[in-house]
Amino acid sequence: MDAACNFARSSTAGSRYEILIFNSGGTGARPGQDGMSATGFPSGVRAMPIEVVENMGPVVIWRKELRPDSCGAGKWRGGLGQIVELGTIDESPFLLFAMFDRTAHPACGRMGGEDGKVGIVRVKHGETLQPKGVQLIEPGQRLELLLPGGGGFGEKAQRSAILREQDKQAGLISG
């Protein structure tokens, strides 16, 4: 925290900007339907398009895609989380004010469905960060968010072979 505080007080930190980015994990499966991927619940709010975020400040979204295998398996699978990788245009340091949930406890499966995967907040190829609070992302580093998946509903063995194959072909699950 000291490094983050010093950075915030520093007169050499460059121009100031603030960007609030909403990124959502997957919702839980429902009786009769898979969970929604990368969707906030209960509002259904989705994140701003990458182009808008990059236009608002000196950031680059290097990667934003569904997180394979993050969903809980079941007759109806949970929704998938996302993988988001971002940094600054000029590789300068930046502060992260983290407010992430589902990083310690997964979304629970129901009626025999498996739990979704927990979220991870980290520096790409580096240390895991705290899910809450202000943290410094050092020069040249990128922030990587592995957002959580939703829990499954019903026994995995009851899922249609056709749906399992469609999920595999789409790269949503590996097995």
Side-chain angles (χ1 to χ4, degrees):
M1 184 66 128
D2 289 335
C5 290
N6 289 337
F7 175 83
R9 289 185 198 110
S10 169
S11 60
T12 61
S15 62
R16 304 281 189 218
Y17 63 94
E18 182 177 326
I19 298 175
L20 177 61
I21 303 172
F22 288 100
N23 290 288
S24 302
T27 67
R30 300 149 289 172
Q33 203 168 7
D34 291 337
M36 296 179 287
S37 296
T39 302
F41 180 83
S43 67
V45 67
R46 292 195 179 251
M48 287 190 295
I50 291 169
E51 296 82 3
V52 172
V53 173
E54 291 180 339
N55 225 357
M56 300 301 289
V59 298
V60 177
I61 309 291
W62 294 100
R63 181 180 182 195
K64 186 172 184 175
E65 59 192 44
L66 292 177
R67 181 182 174 197
D69 296 318
S70 60
C71 56
K75 179 177 182 180
W76 302 105
R77 66 164 170 72
L80 282 83
Q82 302 177 73
I83 300 171
V84 181
E85 178 185 334
L86 61 105
T88 56
I89 289 174
D90 61 357
E91 297 192 352
S92 61
F94 62 98
L95 291 177
L96 165 69
F97 182 69
M99 299 182 293
F100 297 99
D101 290 316
R102 292 270 178 231
T103 58
H105 304 287
C108 297
R110 301 271 323 262
M111 304 297 291
E114 295 179 3
D115 297 347
K117 298 283 189 268
V118 296
I120 300 169
V121 181
R122 66 185 181 197
V123 173
K124 186 173 182 183
H125 306 301
E127 68 179 304
T128 299
L129 302 172
Q130 296 299 312
K132 307 278 188 211
V134 179
Q135 296 157 91
L136 177 64
I137 309 301
E138 299 285 350
Q141 291 182 330
R142 293 184 187 170
L143 176 64
E144 187 173 47
L145 308 174
L146 303 167
L147 300 171
F153 186 93
E155 298 288 336
K156 179 179 176 179
Q158 295 176 338
R159 186 157 178 87
S160 153
I162 293 169
L163 292 176
R164 275 195 313 272
E165 187 57 32
Q166 287 174 351
D167 288 347
K168 284 169 75 173
Q169 291 298 318
L172 305 179
I173 62 170
S174 59

